[in-house]
Structures are given as C-alpha cells and as structure tokens.
Amino acid sequence: MKFVEKLIVSFVSALIFTVIAPQLGGSFLTFFWVTFLIMITLGQLLDFFVKYIVDHERFRSVIYRYFASVFLYAYGGVLILASLSLVVEQLSPLELSHLIMLGVLPAWIYFHLDIVIKRLLPKLNERTVQE
C-alpha cells in the first residue's frame, strides 16, 4: 500500500506542477512525464531522507516537525534541480529565482500531497471495508 501511496502522490503532484509551472520549451506531456519520473525516483529518495531526519527525537512538536519538513523539502528540491541542471543543458541558464521556484514548488507540492494522501487513504479504506 505504501508504494501505491507514493505512486499516487508522485502522479498527482507531477500533474499539478505541470499545470502551474512554466513550460521549458517542451510539450505538456513530455514535461509531465519528466516531472513524474523525477518525482517518483528523486522525490521518494528526498522523502526518505526528510522523514529520517524529522523523525529524530529532536522534533517532538508537530509544529517543529512541519516547519523542519517544509525547510528540508525546499532545500532538497533546490539541490535536486541544481544537480539536474549540471546534466541537462536546457536547465543550465536558469536564473536563481527560476531555480528556486522550479525546485521548491514541486517539493512543497509533493510534501503537502503526501500529508493529504496519508490522511485520506486510510479513511477511504475504512469506508470501503464497512460497506
């Protein structure tokens, strides 16, 4: 079930990001599939590291855990995009503002959708089991 959750989160967040992000000269479907592949691989890796760091005993309060997660996802998103810009020539001339927007925005979408899906799927499962 955990893989299905991550697949749903990656798919929906890639779709949302593709709709609201500026296109980088490619078609909608190409941009969507590239975004989806990045989110399904690197997004899950980032998710693993953030959860490992945040689940440490230092963050006992829910508010601290949330803000630490928001910061770490933002940092990870920029780090992922900066790493990809070294490999993909089309991303190389990005300005700092675009780098931050194209790195932070998908990471935050992924994080918040992950929270929503984790709260929503168990309730949907309970509802289907009761019927």
Side-chain angles (χ1 to χ4, degrees), residues 24-113:
L24 297 176
S27 69
F28 180 84
L29 283 176
T30 304
F31 190 68
F32 167 75
W33 285 113
V34 169
T35 304
F36 174 70
L37 289 174
I38 291 171
M39 288 200 182
I40 196 76
T41 56
L42 298 176
Q44 285 191 27
L45 187 64
L46 176 63
D47 184 56
F48 172 77
F49 284 119
V50 169
K51 288 191 187 330
Y52 178 78
I53 292 170
V54 172
D55 286 343
H56 197 269
E57 291 181 24
R58 183 180 302 171
F59 300 107
R60 293 183 186 197
S61 171
V62 175
I63 294 171
Y64 287 141
R65 291 171 59 109
Y66 174 77
F67 283 116
S69 296
V70 166
F71 175 75
L72 289 170
Y73 270 96
Y75 180 73
V78 169
L79 189 63
I80 288 171
L81 189 65
S83 301
L84 287 175
S85 70
L86 295 174
V87 177
V88 179
E89 292 178 15
Q90 193 174 9
L91 294 175
S92 297
L94 288 178
E95 298 175 4
L96 182 62
S97 63
H98 289 117
L99 184 69
I100 290 172
M101 186 190 75
L102 292 174
V104 171
L105 187 62
W108 282 351
I109 291 171
Y110 186 92
F111 169 61
H112 288 95
L113 273 174

Coordinates of all heavy atoms in Angstrom, one line a residue, residues 24-113:
L24 N 9.3 24.6 -20.1 CA 10.6 24.8 -20.5 C 10.9 24.5 -22.0 O 11.9 23.9 -22.3 CB 11.6 24.0 -19.6 CG 11.6 24.4 -18.1 CD1 12.5 23.4 -17.4 CD2 12.0 25.8 -17.9
G25 N 10.0 24.9 -22.8 CA 10.2 24.7 -24.3 C 9.8 23.4 -24.8 O 9.9 23.1 -26.0
G26 N 9.2 22.5 -24.0 CA 8.7 21.2 -24.5 C 7.2 21.1 -24.5 O 6.5 22.0 -24.1
S27 N 6.7 20.0 -24.9 CA 5.3 19.8 -24.9 C 4.8 19.5 -23.4 O 5.6 19.1 -22.5 CB 4.9 18.7 -25.8 OG 5.3 17.4 -25.3
F28 N 3.5 19.6 -23.2 CA 2.9 19.3 -21.9 C 3.2 17.9 -21.5 O 3.6 17.7 -20.3 CB 1.4 19.6 -22.0 CG 0.7 19.4 -20.7 CD1 0.6 20.4 -19.7 CD2 0.0 18.2 -20.4 CE1 0.0 20.2 -18.5 CE2 -0.6 18.0 -19.2 CZ -0.7 19.0 -18.3
L29 N 2.9 16.9 -22.3 CA 3.1 15.5 -21.9 C 4.6 15.2 -21.6 O 4.9 14.5 -20.7 CB 2.6 14.6 -23.0 CG 1.1 14.4 -23.1 CD1 0.7 13.6 -24.3 CD2 0.6 13.9 -21.8
T30 N 5.5 15.7 -22.4 CA 6.9 15.5 -22.2 C 7.3 16.1 -20.8 O 8.0 15.4 -20.0 CB 7.8 16.1 -23.3 OG1 7.3 15.6 -24.5 CG2 9.2 15.8 -23.1
F31 N 6.9 17.3 -20.5 CA 7.2 17.9 -19.3 C 6.6 17.2 -18.1 O 7.2 17.0 -17.1 CB 6.7 19.4 -19.3 CG 7.2 20.2 -18.1 CD1 8.5 20.6 -18.0 CD2 6.3 20.7 -17.2 CE1 8.9 21.3 -16.9 CE2 6.7 21.4 -16.1 CZ 8.0 21.8 -16.0
F32 N 5.3 16.7 -18.3 CA 4.7 15.9 -17.3 C 5.4 14.6 -17.0 O 5.7 14.3 -15.8 CB 3.2 15.6 -17.7 CG 2.6 14.6 -16.8 CD1 2.2 14.9 -15.5 CD2 2.4 13.2 -17.2 CE1 1.6 13.9 -14.7 CE2 1.9 12.3 -16.4 CZ 1.5 12.6 -15.1
W33 N 5.8 13.9 -18.0 CA 6.4 12.6 -17.8 C 7.8 12.7 -17.2 O 8.2 11.9 -16.3 CB 6.5 11.7 -19.1 CG 5.1 11.2 -19.4 CD1 4.4 11.5 -20.4 CD2 4.4 10.2 -18.6 NE1 3.2 10.8 -20.3 CE2 3.2 10.0 -19.2 CE3 4.7 9.5 -17.4 CZ2 2.2 9.1 -18.7 CZ3 3.7 8.7 -16.9 CH2 2.5 8.5 -17.6
V34 N 8.5 13.8 -17.6 CA 9.9 14.0 -17.0 C 9.7 14.4 -15.5 O 10.4 13.9 -14.6 CB 10.6 15.1 -17.8 CG1 11.8 15.6 -17.0 CG2 11.0 14.6 -19.2
T35 N 8.7 15.2 -15.2 CA 8.4 15.6 -13.9 C 8.0 14.4 -13.0 O 8.5 14.3 -11.9 CB 7.4 16.7 -13.8 OG1 7.8 17.8 -14.6 CG2 7.1 17.2 -12.4
F36 N 7.2 13.6 -13.6 CA 6.7 12.4 -12.9 C 7.9 11.5 -12.6 O 8.0 10.9 -11.5 CB 5.6 11.7 -13.7 CG 5.2 10.4 -13.1 CD1 4.5 10.3 -11.9 CD2 5.5 9.2 -13.7 CE1 4.1 9.1 -11.4 CE2 5.2 8.0 -13.2 CZ 4.4 7.9 -12.0
L37 N 8.7 11.2 -13.5 CA 9.9 10.3 -13.3 C 10.8 10.9 -12.2 O 11.4 10.1 -11.4 CB 10.6 10.1 -14.6 CG 9.9 9.2 -15.6 CD1 10.7 9.2 -16.9 CD2 9.7 7.8 -15.1
I38 N 11.0 12.2 -12.3 CA 11.9 12.8 -11.2 C 11.2 12.7 -9.9 O 11.9 12.3 -8.9 CB 12.1 14.3 -11.6 CG1 13.0 14.4 -12.8 CG2 12.7 15.0 -10.4 CD1 13.2 15.8 -13.3
M39 N 9.9 12.9 -9.8 CA 9.2 12.8 -8.5 C 9.1 11.3 -8.0 O 9.2 11.1 -6.8 CB 7.8 13.4 -8.6 CG 7.9 14.9 -8.7 SD 6.4 15.6 -8.2 CE 6.7 17.4 -8.5
I40 N 9.0 10.4 -8.9 CA 8.8 9.0 -8.4 C 10.2 8.5 -8.0 O 10.2 7.6 -7.1 CB 8.2 8.1 -9.5 CG1 7.7 6.8 -8.9 CG2 9.2 7.8 -10.6 CD1 6.5 6.8 -8.2
T41 N 11.3 9.0 -8.5 CA 12.6 8.5 -8.1 C 13.2 9.4 -7.1 O 13.4 9.0 -5.9 CB 13.5 8.3 -9.3 OG1 13.6 9.6 -10.0 CG2 13.0 7.3 -10.3
L42 N 13.5 10.6 -7.5 CA 14.3 11.5 -6.6 C 13.3 12.1 -5.5 O 13.8 12.3 -4.4 CB 14.9 12.7 -7.4 CG 15.9 12.2 -8.4 CD1 16.4 13.4 -9.2 CD2 17.1 11.5 -7.8
G43 N 12.1 12.2 -5.8 CA 11.1 12.6 -4.7 C 11.0 11.6 -3.6 O 10.9 12.0 -2.4
Q44 N 11.0 10.4 -3.9 CA 10.9 9.3 -2.9 C 12.2 9.3 -2.1 O 12.2 9.0 -0.9 CB 10.6 8.0 -3.5 CG 9.1 7.9 -3.9 CD 8.8 6.4 -4.3 OE1 9.4 5.5 -3.8 NE2 7.8 6.3 -5.1
L45 N 13.3 9.5 -2.8 CA 14.6 9.5 -2.1 C 14.6 10.7 -1.1 O 15.0 10.5 0.0 CB 15.7 9.5 -3.1 CG 17.1 9.4 -2.5 CD1 17.3 8.0 -1.9 CD2 18.1 9.6 -3.6
L46 N 14.2 11.8 -1.6 CA 14.2 13.0 -0.7 C 13.2 12.8 0.5 O 13.5 13.1 1.6 CB 13.7 14.2 -1.5 CG 13.5 15.5 -0.7 CD1 14.8 16.0 -0.1 CD2 13.0 16.6 -1.7
D47 N 12.1 12.2 0.2 CA 11.1 11.9 1.2 C 11.7 11.0 2.3 O 11.4 11.2 3.5 CB 9.8 11.2 0.6 CG 8.7 11.0 1.5 OD1 8.3 11.9 2.2 OD2 8.3 9.8 1.6
F48 N 12.4 10.0 1.9 CA 13.0 9.1 2.8 C 14.0 9.8 3.7 O 14.0 9.6 5.0 CB 13.8 7.9 2.1 CG 14.6 7.1 3.0 CD1 14.0 6.1 3.8 CD2 16.0 7.2 3.0 CE1 14.8 5.3 4.6 CE2 16.8 6.4 3.8 CZ 16.2 5.5 4.6
F49 N 14.9 10.7 3.2 CA 15.8 11.4 4.0 C 15.2 12.4 4.9 O 15.6 12.5 6.1 CB 16.9 12.1 3.1 CG 17.9 11.1 2.5 CD1 18.0 10.9 1.2 CD2 18.7 10.4 3.4 CE1 19.0 10.1 0.7 CE2 19.6 9.5 2.9 CZ 19.8 9.3 1.5
V50 N 14.2 13.1 4.4 CA 13.5 14.1 5.3 C 12.8 13.4 6.4 O 12.9 13.8 7.6 CB 12.5 14.9 4.4 CG1 11.6 15.8 5.3 CG2 13.2 15.8 3.5
K51 N 12.1 12.3 6.1 CA 11.4 11.6 7.2 C 12.4 11.0 8.2 O 12.2 11.0 9.4 CB 10.6 10.5 6.7 CG 9.3 11.0 6.0 CD 8.3 10.0 5.7 CE 7.2 10.5 4.9 NZ 6.7 11.8 5.0
Y52 N 13.6 10.6 7.7 CA 14.6 10.1 8.6 C 15.1 11.2 9.6 O 15.3 11.0 10.8 CB 15.8 9.5 7.8 CG 16.9 9.0 8.7 CD1 16.8 7.8 9.3 CD2 18.1 9.7 8.8 CE1 17.9 7.3 10.1 CE2 19.1 9.3 9.6 CZ 19.0 8.1 10.3 OH 20.0 7.6 11.0
I53 N 15.4 12.4 9.0 CA 15.9 13.5 9.8 C 14.8 14.0 10.8 O 15.0 14.2 12.0 CB 16.3 14.6 8.9 CG1 17.6 14.2 8.1 CG2 16.6 15.9 9.7 CD1 18.0 15.1 7.0
V54 N 13.6 14.1 10.3 CA 12.5 14.7 11.1 C 12.0 13.8 12.2 O 11.6 14.2 13.2 CB 11.3 15.2 10.2 CG1 10.1 15.6 11.0 CG2 11.8 16.3 9.3
D55 N 12.0 12.5 11.9 CA 11.6 11.5 12.9 C 12.6 11.4 14.1 O 12.3 10.6 15.0 CB 11.3 10.2 12.3 CG 10.1 10.1 11.4 OD1 9.3 11.1 11.6 OD2 9.9 9.2 10.6
H56 N 13.7 12.1 14.0 CA 14.6 12.1 15.1 C 13.9 12.7 16.4 O 13.0 13.5 16.2 CB 15.8 12.9 14.7 CG 17.0 12.6 15.6 ND1 17.3 13.4 16.7 CD2 18.0 11.7 15.5 CE1 18.4 12.9 17.3 NE2 18.8 11.9 16.6
E57 N 14.4 12.3 17.5 CA 13.7 12.8 18.8 C 13.8 14.3 19.0 O 13.0 14.8 19.8 CB 14.4 12.1 20.0 CG 14.1 10.6 20.0 CD 14.7 10.0 21.2 OE1 15.0 10.7 22.2 OE2 15.0 8.8 21.2
R58 N 14.6 15.0 18.3 CA 14.7 16.4 18.4 C 13.5 17.2 18.1 O 13.1 18.2 18.6 CB 15.9 16.9 17.5 CG 16.2 18.4 17.7 CD 17.3 18.9 16.8 NE 18.5 18.1 17.1 CZ 19.6 18.1 16.4 NH1 19.6 18.9 15.3 NH2 20.6 17.4 16.7
F59 N 12.7 16.6 17.1 CA 11.5 17.3 16.7 C 10.3 16.6 17.3 O 9.6 15.8 16.7 CB 11.4 17.3 15.2 CG 12.5 18.0 14.5 CD1 13.5 17.2 13.8 CD2 12.6 19.3 14.5 CE1 14.5 17.9 13.2 CE2 13.6 20.0 13.9 CZ 14.6 19.2 13.2
R60 N 10.0 16.9 18.5 CA 8.8 16.3 19.2 C 7.5 17.0 18.9 O 6.5 16.4 18.9 CB 9.1 16.2 20.7 CG 10.2 15.3 21.0 CD 10.4 15.1 22.5 NE 11.6 14.3 22.7 CZ 11.9 13.8 23.8 NH1 11.1 13.9 24.8 NH2 13.0 13.1 23.9
S61 N 7.6 18.3 18.7 CA 6.4 19.0 18.5 C 5.9 18.9 17.0 O 6.8 18.8 16.1 CB 6.6 20.5 18.8 OG 5.5 21.3 18.4
V62 N 4.7 18.8 16.8 CA 4.1 18.7 15.4 C 4.5 20.0 14.6 O 4.8 19.9 13.4 CB 2.6 18.5 15.5 CG1 2.0 18.5 14.1 CG2 2.3 17.3 16.2
I63 N 4.5 21.1 15.2 CA 4.8 22.4 14.5 C 6.3 22.4 14.1 O 6.6 22.7 13.0 CB 4.5 23.6 15.4 CG1 2.9 23.6 15.6 CG2 4.9 24.9 14.8 CD1 2.5 24.7 16.7
Y64 N 7.1 22.0 15.0 CA 8.6 21.9 14.6 C 8.8 20.9 13.5 O 9.6 21.1 12.6 CB 9.4 21.5 15.8 CG 9.6 22.6 16.8 CD1 9.6 22.3 18.2 CD2 9.8 23.9 16.5 CE1 9.7 23.3 19.1 CE2 9.9 24.9 17.4 CZ 9.9 24.6 18.7 OH 10.0 25.6 19.7
R65 N 8.1 19.8 13.6 CA 8.3 18.7 12.5 C 7.8 19.3 11.2 O 8.4 19.0 10.2 CB 7.5 17.5 12.9 CG 8.1 16.7 14.1 CD 7.1 15.6 14.5 NE 6.9 14.7 13.4 CZ 7.4 13.5 13.4 NH1 8.0 13.0 14.4 NH2 7.1 12.7 12.4
Y66 N 6.7 20.0 11.2 CA 6.1 20.5 10.0 C 7.1 21.5 9.3 O 7.5 21.5 8.2 CB 4.8 21.2 10.2 CG 4.2 21.9 9.0 CD1 3.7 21.1 7.9 CD2 4.3 23.2 8.8 CE1 3.2 21.8 6.8 CE2 3.9 23.9 7.7 CZ 3.3 23.1 6.7 OH 2.8 23.8 5.6
F67 N 7.6 22.5 10.1 CA 8.4 23.6 9.6 C 9.8 23.0 9.2 O 10.4 23.4 8.2 CB 8.6 24.7 10.6 CG 7.4 25.6 10.6 CD1 6.6 25.7 11.7 CD2 7.0 26.3 9.4 CE1 5.5 26.6 11.7 CE2 5.9 27.1 9.4 CZ 5.1 27.3 10.5
A68 N 10.3 22.0 9.9 CA 11.6 21.4 9.6 C 11.4 20.6 8.2 O 12.3 20.7 7.4 CB 12.0 20.4 10.7
S69 N 10.2 20.0 8.1 CA 10.0 19.2 6.8 C 9.8 20.2 5.7 O 10.4 20.0 4.6 CB 8.7 18.4 7.0 OG 8.8 17.4 7.9
V70 N 9.1 21.3 5.9 CA 9.0 22.3 4.8 C 10.4 22.8 4.4 O 10.7 22.9 3.2 CB 8.1 23.5 5.2 CG1 8.2 24.7 4.3 CG2 6.6 23.0 5.3
F71 N 11.2 23.2 5.3 CA 12.5 23.7 5.0 C 13.4 22.6 4.3 O 14.0 22.9 3.3 CB 13.2 24.1 6.3 CG 14.7 24.5 6.1 CD1 15.0 25.8 5.5 CD2 15.7 23.7 6.4 CE1 16.3 26.1 5.2 CE2 17.0 24.1 6.2 CZ 17.3 25.3 5.6
L72 N 13.4 21.4 4.8 CA 14.2 20.3 4.2 C 13.7 20.0 2.8 O 14.5 19.7 1.9 CB 14.2 19.1 5.1 CG 15.0 19.3 6.4 CD1 14.8 18.1 7.3 CD2 16.5 19.4 6.1
Y73 N 12.4 19.9 2.6 CA 11.9 19.7 1.2 C 12.3 20.8 0.3 O 12.7 20.5 -0.9 CB 10.4 19.5 1.2 CG 9.9 18.1 1.5 CD1 9.6 17.7 2.7 CD2 9.8 17.2 0.4 CE1 9.1 16.4 2.9 CE2 9.4 15.9 0.6 CZ 9.1 15.5 1.9 OH 8.7 14.2 2.1
A74 N 12.2 22.0 0.7 CA 12.6 23.2 -0.1 C 14.1 23.1 -0.5 O 14.5 23.2 -1.6 CB 12.3 24.5 0.6
Y75 N 14.9 22.8 0.5 CA 16.4 22.6 0.3 C 16.7 21.5 -0.6 O 17.5 21.6 -1.5 CB 17.1 22.5 1.7 CG 18.6 22.3 1.5 CD1 19.4 23.4 1.2 CD2 19.2 21.1 1.7 CE1 20.7 23.3 1.1 CE2 20.5 20.9 1.6 CZ 21.3 22.0 1.3 OH 22.7 21.9 1.2
G76 N 16.0 20.3 -0.4 CA 16.2 19.2 -1.2 C 15.7 19.4 -2.7 O 16.4 18.9 -3.6
G77 N 14.6 20.1 -2.8 CA 14.1 20.4 -4.2 C 15.1 21.3 -5.0 O 15.4 21.0 -6.1
V78 N 15.7 22.3 -4.3 CA 16.7 23.1 -5.0 C 17.9 22.3 -5.3 O 18.5 22.4 -6.4 CB 17.0 24.4 -4.1 CG1 18.2 25.1 -4.7 CG2 15.8 25.3 -4.1
L79 N 18.3 21.5 -4.4 CA 19.5 20.6 -4.6 C 19.3 19.7 -5.7 O 20.2 19.5 -6.5 CB 19.8 19.9 -3.3 CG 21.1 19.1 -3.2 CD1 22.3 20.1 -3.3 CD2 21.2 18.3 -1.9
I80 N 18.1 19.1 -5.8 CA 17.8 18.2 -6.9 C 17.9 18.9 -8.2 O 18.5 18.4 -9.2 CB 16.5 17.5 -6.7 CG1 16.6 16.4 -5.6 CG2 16.0 16.8 -8.0 CD1 15.3 15.8 -5.2
L81 N 17.2 20.1 -8.3 CA 17.2 20.8 -9.6 C 18.6 21.3 -9.9 O 18.9 21.3 -11.1 CB 16.2 22.0 -9.5 CG 15.9 22.7 -10.8 CD1 15.3 21.7 -11.8 CD2 15.1 23.9 -10.6
A82 N 19.3 21.8 -8.9 CA 20.7 22.2 -9.2 C 21.6 21.1 -9.8 O 22.4 21.2 -10.7 CB 21.3 22.8 -8.0
S83 N 21.4 19.9 -9.2 CA 22.1 18.7 -9.7 C 21.7 18.4 -11.1 O 22.5 18.0 -12.0 CB 21.9 17.5 -8.8 OG 22.3 17.8 -7.5
L84 N 20.4 18.4 -11.4 CA 19.9 18.1 -12.7 C 20.3 19.2 -13.7 O 20.6 18.9 -14.9 CB 18.4 18.0 -12.7 CG 17.8 16.8 -12.1 CD1 16.2 16.9 -12.1 CD2 18.2 15.6 -12.8
S85 N 20.5 20.4 -13.3 CA 20.9 21.5 -14.2 C 22.4 21.3 -14.7 O 22.8 21.8 -15.7 CB 20.8 22.9 -13.6 OG 21.7 23.1 -12.6
L86 N 23.1 20.5 -13.9 CA 24.5 20.2 -14.3 C 24.5 19.2 -15.5 O 25.4 19.1 -16.3 CB 25.3 19.6 -13.1 CG 25.6 20.6 -12.0 CD1 26.3 19.8 -10.8 CD2 26.4 21.8 -12.4
V87 N 23.5 18.4 -15.5 CA 23.4 17.3 -16.5 C 22.6 17.7 -17.8 O 23.0 17.5 -18.9 CB 22.8 16.0 -15.9 CG1 22.6 14.9 -16.9 CG2 23.6 15.6 -14.7
V88 N 21.5 18.4 -17.5 CA 20.6 18.8 -18.6 C 20.9 20.2 -19.1 O 20.9 21.2 -18.3 CB 19.1 18.8 -18.2 CG1 18.2 19.2 -19.3 CG2 18.7 17.4 -17.6
E89 N 21.3 20.3 -20.3 CA 21.8 21.6 -20.8 C 20.7 22.7 -20.8 O 20.9 23.9 -20.7 CB 22.3 21.5 -22.2 CG 23.6 20.7 -22.3 CD 24.1 20.5 -23.7 OE1 23.6 21.2 -24.6 OE2 25.0 19.7 -23.9
Q90 N 19.4 22.3 -21.0 CA 18.3 23.2 -21.1 C 18.1 23.9 -19.7 O 17.6 25.0 -19.7 CB 17.1 22.5 -21.5 CG 15.9 23.4 -22.0 CD 14.8 22.6 -22.5 OE1 14.8 21.4 -22.5 NE2 13.8 23.3 -23.1
L91 N 18.5 23.3 -18.6 CA 18.3 23.9 -17.3 C 19.4 24.7 -16.9 O 19.3 25.5 -15.9 CB 18.1 22.7 -16.3 CG 16.8 21.9 -16.4 CD1 16.8 20.8 -15.4 CD2 15.6 22.8 -16.2
S92 N 20.5 24.7 -17.6 CA 21.7 25.4 -17.2 C 21.6 26.9 -17.1 O 22.1 27.5 -16.1 CB 22.9 25.0 -18.1 OG 23.2 23.7 -18.0
P93 N 20.9 27.6 -18.0 CA 20.9 29.0 -17.9 C 19.8 29.6 -17.0 O 19.5 30.7 -17.0 CB 20.6 29.5 -19.3 CG 19.8 28.4 -19.9 CD 20.4 27.1 -19.3
L94 N 19.2 28.7 -16.1 CA 18.2 29.2 -15.2 C 18.7 30.2 -14.2 O 19.8 30.1 -13.7 CB 17.6 28.0 -14.4 CG 16.7 27.1 -15.2 CD1 16.2 26.0 -14.3 CD2 15.5 27.8 -15.8
E95 N 17.9 31.3 -14.0 CA 18.2 32.3 -13.0 C 18.0 31.7 -11.6 O 17.3 30.7 -11.5 CB 17.4 33.5 -13.2 CG 17.6 34.2 -14.6 CD 16.7 35.3 -14.8 OE1 15.9 35.7 -13.9 OE2 16.7 35.9 -15.9
L96 N 18.4 32.4 -10.6 CA 18.3 31.9 -9.3 C 16.8 31.8 -8.9 O 16.3 30.9 -8.2 CB 19.0 32.8 -8.3 CG 18.9 32.4 -6.8 CD1 19.6 31.0 -6.6 CD2 19.6 33.5 -6.0
S97 N 16.0 32.8 -9.3 CA 14.6 32.8 -9.0 C 13.8 31.6 -9.6 O 13.0 31.0 -9.0 CB 13.9 34.1 -9.4 OG 14.0 34.3 -10.8
H98 N 14.2 31.3 -10.9 CA 13.6 30.2 -11.5 C 14.1 28.9 -10.9 O 13.3 27.9 -10.7 CB 14.0 30.1 -13.0 CG 13.2 31.2 -13.8 ND1 13.9 32.2 -14.4 CD2 11.9 31.4 -14.0 CE1 13.1 33.0 -15.0 NE2 11.8 32.6 -14.8
L99 N 15.3 28.8 -10.5 CA 15.9 27.7 -9.8 C 15.2 27.4 -8.5 O 14.8 26.3 -8.2 CB 17.4 27.8 -9.6 CG 18.2 26.7 -9.0 CD1 18.2 25.5 -10.0 CD2 19.5 27.1 -8.6
I100 N 14.9 28.4 -7.8 CA 14.2 28.3 -6.5 C 12.7 27.9 -6.8 O 12.2 27.0 -6.1 CB 14.3 29.6 -5.7 CG1 15.7 29.7 -5.2 CG2 13.3 29.5 -4.5 CD1 16.0 31.0 -4.5
M101 N 12.1 28.5 -7.7 CA 10.7 28.2 -8.0 C 10.5 26.8 -8.5 O 9.6 26.0 -8.1 CB 10.0 29.2 -9.0 CG 8.6 28.9 -9.1 SD 7.8 29.8 -10.5 CE 8.3 28.9 -11.9
L102 N 11.4 26.4 -9.5 CA 11.3 25.1 -10.1 C 11.8 24.0 -9.2 O 11.6 22.8 -9.4 CB 12.0 25.0 -11.4 CG 11.3 25.9 -12.5 CD1 12.2 25.8 -13.8 CD2 10.0 25.4 -12.9
G103 N 12.5 24.3 -8.1 CA 13.0 23.4 -7.1 C 12.1 23.3 -5.9 O 11.8 22.2 -5.4
V104 N 11.7 24.4 -5.4 CA 10.9 24.5 -4.1 C 9.5 24.1 -4.4 O 8.9 23.3 -3.6 CB 11.1 25.9 -3.5 CG1 10.1 26.0 -2.3 CG2 12.5 26.1 -3.0
L105 N 8.9 24.6 -5.4 CA 7.5 24.4 -5.7 C 7.1 22.9 -5.8 O 6.2 22.5 -5.1 CB 7.0 25.2 -6.9 CG 5.5 25.2 -7.2 CD1 4.8 25.8 -6.0 CD2 5.3 26.0 -8.5
P106 N 7.8 22.1 -6.6 CA 7.4 20.7 -6.7 C 7.7 20.0 -5.4 O 6.9 19.0 -5.1 CB 8.3 20.2 -7.8 CG 9.3 21.1 -8.1 CD 8.8 22.5 -7.6
A107 N 8.7 20.3 -4.7 CA 9.0 19.7 -3.4 C 7.9 19.9 -2.4 O 7.4 19.0 -1.7 CB 10.3 20.1 -2.9
W108 N 7.4 21.2 -2.4 CA 6.3 21.5 -1.4 C 5.0 20.9 -1.9 O 4.2 20.4 -1.0 CB 6.2 23.0 -1.3 CG 7.2 23.6 -0.4 CD1 8.1 23.0 0.4 CD2 7.4 25.0 -0.2 NE1 8.8 23.9 1.1 CE2 8.5 25.1 0.7 CE3 6.8 26.2 -0.7 CZ2 8.9 26.4 1.1 CZ3 7.3 27.4 -0.3 CH2 8.4 27.5 0.6
I109 N 4.7 20.8 -3.1 CA 3.5 20.1 -3.6 C 3.6 18.7 -3.2 O 2.6 18.1 -2.7 CB 3.4 20.3 -5.2 CG1 3.1 21.7 -5.5 CG2 2.3 19.4 -5.7 CD1 3.1 22.0 -7.0
Y110 N 4.7 18.0 -3.4 CA 4.9 16.6 -3.1 C 4.7 16.4 -1.6 O 4.0 15.5 -1.2 CB 6.3 16.2 -3.5 CG 6.6 14.7 -3.3 CD1 6.3 13.8 -4.4 CD2 7.0 14.2 -2.1 CE1 6.6 12.5 -4.2 CE2 7.3 12.8 -1.9 CZ 7.0 12.0 -3.0 OH 7.2 10.6 -2.8
F111 N 5.3 17.2 -0.8 CA 5.2 17.1 0.7 C 3.7 17.3 1.2 O 3.2 16.4 1.9 CB 6.1 18.2 1.4 CG 5.9 18.3 2.8 CD1 6.1 17.2 3.7 CD2 5.4 19.5 3.4 CE1 5.9 17.3 5.0 CE2 5.3 19.6 4.8 CZ 5.5 18.5 5.6
H112 N 3.0 18.3 0.7 CA 1.7 18.5 1.1 C 0.7 17.5 0.6 O -0.2 17.1 1.3 CB 1.2 19.9 0.8 CG 1.9 21.0 1.7 ND1 3.1 21.6 1.3 CD2 1.7 21.4 2.9 CE1 3.5 22.4 2.2 NE2 2.7 22.3 3.2
L113 N 0.9 17.0 -0.6 CA 0.1 15.9 -1.1 C 0.3 14.6 -0.4 O -0.6 13.9 -0.1 CB 0.3 15.7 -2.6 CG -0.5 16.6 -3.5 CD1 -0.1 16.4 -5.0 CD2 -2.0 16.3 -3.4

